[in-house]
Coordinates of all heavy atoms in Angstrom, one line a residue:
T777 N 20.2 0.6 -5.5 CA 19.5 0.9 -4.2 C 18.4 1.8 -4.3 O 17.2 1.7 -3.8 CB 20.5 1.5 -3.1 OG1 21.6 0.4 -3.0 CG2 19.9 1.7 -1.8
E778 N 18.5 2.9 -5.1 CA 17.6 3.9 -5.4 C 16.4 3.3 -6.1 O 15.2 3.6 -5.6 CB 18.1 5.0 -6.2 CG 19.0 6.0 -5.4 CD 19.4 7.2 -6.3 OE1 18.9 7.4 -7.3 OE2 20.4 7.9 -5.8
I779 N 16.6 2.5 -7.0 CA 15.5 1.8 -7.8 C 14.7 0.9 -7.0 O 13.5 0.9 -6.9 CB 16.0 1.1 -9.0 CG1 16.6 2.1 -10.0 CG2 14.9 0.2 -9.7 CD1 17.2 1.5 -11.3
K780 N 15.5 0.1 -6.2 CA 14.7 -0.9 -5.2 C 13.9 -0.1 -4.1 O 12.8 -0.4 -3.9 CB 15.8 -1.7 -4.5 CG 16.3 -2.9 -5.3 CD 17.1 -3.9 -4.5 CE 17.5 -5.1 -5.2 NZ 18.3 -6.1 -4.3
N781 N 14.5 1.0 -3.7 CA 13.8 1.7 -2.7 C 12.5 2.4 -3.3 O 11.5 2.5 -2.6 CB 14.7 2.8 -2.1 CG 15.8 2.2 -1.2 OD1 15.7 1.1 -0.6 ND2 16.8 3.0 -0.9
K782 N 12.7 2.9 -4.5 CA 11.6 3.5 -5.1 C 10.5 2.5 -5.5 O 9.3 2.9 -5.1 CB 12.0 4.2 -6.5 CG 10.9 5.1 -7.1 CD 10.5 6.3 -6.2 CE 9.5 7.2 -6.9 NZ 9.0 8.3 -6.0
L783 N 10.8 1.4 -5.9 CA 9.9 0.3 -6.2 C 9.2 -0.1 -5.0 O 7.9 -0.3 -5.0 CB 10.4 -0.8 -6.9 CG 11.0 -0.7 -8.3 CD1 11.9 -2.0 -8.7 CD2 9.8 -0.6 -9.3
T784 N 9.9 -0.2 -3.9 CA 9.4 -0.8 -2.6 C 8.5 0.3 -2.1 O 7.3 0.0 -1.6 CB 10.4 -1.1 -1.6 OG1 11.4 -2.1 -2.1 CG2 9.9 -1.4 -0.3
E785 N 8.8 1.6 -2.2 CA 8.0 2.7 -1.6 C 6.6 2.7 -2.4 O 5.6 2.8 -1.7 CB 8.6 4.0 -1.8 CG 7.9 5.2 -1.1 CD 8.6 6.6 -1.4 OE1 9.7 6.6 -1.9 OE2 7.9 7.5 -1.1
N786 N 6.6 2.6 -3.7 CA 5.4 2.6 -4.5 C 4.5 1.5 -4.1 O 3.4 1.5 -4.0 CB 5.8 2.6 -6.0 CG 6.4 4.0 -6.4 OD1 6.3 5.0 -5.8 ND2 7.1 4.0 -7.6
A787 N 5.3 0.3 -4.0 CA 4.6 -1.0 -3.7 C 3.9 -0.9 -2.4 O 2.8 -1.3 -2.1 CB 5.4 -2.2 -3.7
E788 N 4.6 -0.3 -1.3 CA 4.1 -0.1 0.0 C 2.9 0.8 0.0 O 1.8 0.5 0.6 CB 5.2 0.5 0.9 CG 6.1 -0.6 1.4 CD 7.1 0.1 2.4 OE1 7.1 1.3 2.5 OE2 7.9 -0.7 3.1
N789 N 2.9 1.9 -0.7 CA 1.8 2.8 -0.8 C 0.6 2.1 -1.5 O -0.6 2.3 -1.0 CB 2.2 4.1 -1.7 CG 3.2 4.9 -0.9 OD1 3.2 4.8 0.3 ND2 4.0 5.7 -1.6
E790 N 0.8 1.3 -2.6 CA -0.3 0.6 -3.1 C -1.0 -0.4 -2.2 O -2.1 -0.6 -2.2 CB 0.2 -0.1 -4.5 CG 0.3 0.9 -5.6 CD -0.9 1.6 -5.9 OE1 -2.0 1.0 -6.1 OE2 -0.9 2.9 -6.1
S791 N 0.1 -1.1 -1.5 CA -0.5 -2.2 -0.5 C -1.3 -1.6 0.5 O -2.3 -2.1 1.0 CB 0.7 -2.9 0.1 OG 0.3 -3.9 0.8
I792 N -0.9 -0.4 1.1 CA -1.6 0.3 2.1 C -3.0 0.7 1.6 O -4.1 0.7 2.2 CB -0.9 1.5 2.6 CG1 0.4 0.9 3.4 CG2 -1.7 2.4 3.5 CD1 1.4 2.1 3.8
K793 N -3.1 1.2 0.3 CA -4.3 1.6 -0.4 C -5.3 0.4 -0.4 O -6.5 0.4 -0.1 CB -4.1 2.0 -1.8 CG -3.7 3.5 -1.8 CD -3.6 3.9 -3.3 CE -2.8 5.2 -3.5 NZ -2.7 5.6 -4.9
V794 N -4.7 -0.8 -0.8 CA -5.5 -2.1 -0.8 C -6.0 -2.4 0.4 O -7.2 -2.8 0.7 CB -4.6 -3.2 -1.4 CG1 -5.3 -4.6 -1.2 CG2 -4.4 -3.0 -2.9
F795 N -5.1 -2.3 1.4 CA -5.6 -2.6 2.9 C -6.7 -1.6 3.2 O -7.7 -2.1 3.9 CB -4.3 -2.3 3.8 CG -4.2 -3.3 4.9 CD1 -3.1 -4.1 5.1 CD2 -5.2 -3.6 5.8 CE1 -3.0 -5.0 6.2 CE2 -5.2 -4.4 6.9 CZ -4.0 -5.2 7.0
S796 N -6.5 -0.3 3.0 CA -7.6 0.5 3.5 C -8.9 0.4 2.8 O -9.9 0.4 3.3 CB -7.1 2.0 3.1 OG -5.9 2.3 3.8
K797 N -8.8 0.0 1.4 CA -10.1 -0.3 0.6 C -10.8 -1.5 1.3 O -12.0 -1.6 1.2 CB -9.7 -0.4 -0.8 CG -9.4 0.9 -1.5 CD -9.1 0.6 -2.9 CE -8.8 1.9 -3.7 NZ -8.3 1.7 -5.1
N798 N -10.0 -2.4 1.7 CA -10.6 -3.6 2.2 C -11.1 -3.5 3.6 O -12.2 -4.2 4.0 CB -9.6 -4.8 2.1 CG -9.3 -5.5 0.8 OD1 -10.1 -5.4 0.0 ND2 -8.2 -6.1 0.7
L799 N -10.4 -2.7 4.4 CA -10.7 -2.6 5.8 C -12.1 -1.9 6.0 O -12.9 -2.4 6.8 CB -9.6 -1.8 6.5 CG -9.8 -1.6 8.0 CD1 -9.8 -3.0 8.7 CD2 -8.7 -0.8 8.6
K800 N -12.3 -0.9 5.4 CA -13.6 0.0 5.7 C -14.8 -0.8 5.4 O -15.7 -1.0 6.4 CB -13.6 1.2 4.9 CG -14.8 2.1 5.3 CD -14.6 3.6 4.8 CE -15.6 4.4 5.3 NZ -15.6 5.8 4.8
P801 N -15.1 -1.5 4.3 CA -16.3 -2.2 4.2 C -16.3 -3.5 5.2 O -17.4 -3.9 5.6 CB -16.3 -2.7 2.7 CG -14.9 -2.5 2.3 CD -14.3 -1.4 3.0
Y802 N -15.2 -4.0 5.5 CA -15.2 -5.1 6.5 C -15.6 -4.7 7.8 O -16.5 -5.4 8.5 CB -13.7 -5.6 6.6 CG -13.5 -6.9 7.4 CD1 -14.3 -8.0 7.2 CD2 -12.5 -6.9 8.4 CE1 -14.1 -9.1 8.0 CE2 -12.4 -8.0 9.3 CZ -13.2 -9.1 9.0 OH -13.0 -10.2 9.9
I803 N -15.1 -3.6 8.3 CA -15.7 -3.0 9.5 C -17.1 -2.6 9.4 O -17.9 -2.7 10.3 CB -14.8 -1.8 9.9 CG1 -13.4 -2.2 10.4 CG2 -15.4 -1.0 11.1 CD1 -12.4 -1.0 10.6
L804 N -17.6 -2.1 8.3 CA -18.8 -1.6 8.1 C -19.9 -2.7 7.7 O -20.9 -2.4 7.1 CB -18.9 -0.3 7.1 CG -18.3 0.9 7.7 CD1 -18.4 1.9 6.7 CD2 -18.8 1.4 9.0

């Protein structure tokens, strides 16, 4: 459970970074 949670947390953070990087130039 701990490993899955840690992997998921890291993956979510990376996914949010990807989203943010894509969103700003799209809006601008």
Side-chain angles (χ1 to χ4, degrees):
T777 301
E778 283 186 14
I779 290 174
K780 280 188 173 183
N781 287 344
K782 186 65 179 173
L783 287 172
T784 299
E785 184 183 355
N786 291 341
E788 285 185 345
N789 290 338
E790 283 302 313
S791 185
I792 289 171
K793 279 184 189 175
V794 168
F795 217 127
S796 299
K797 285 178 181 176
N798 281 339
L799 180 61
K800 187 165 185 178
Y802 183 52
I803 289 176
L804 292 179

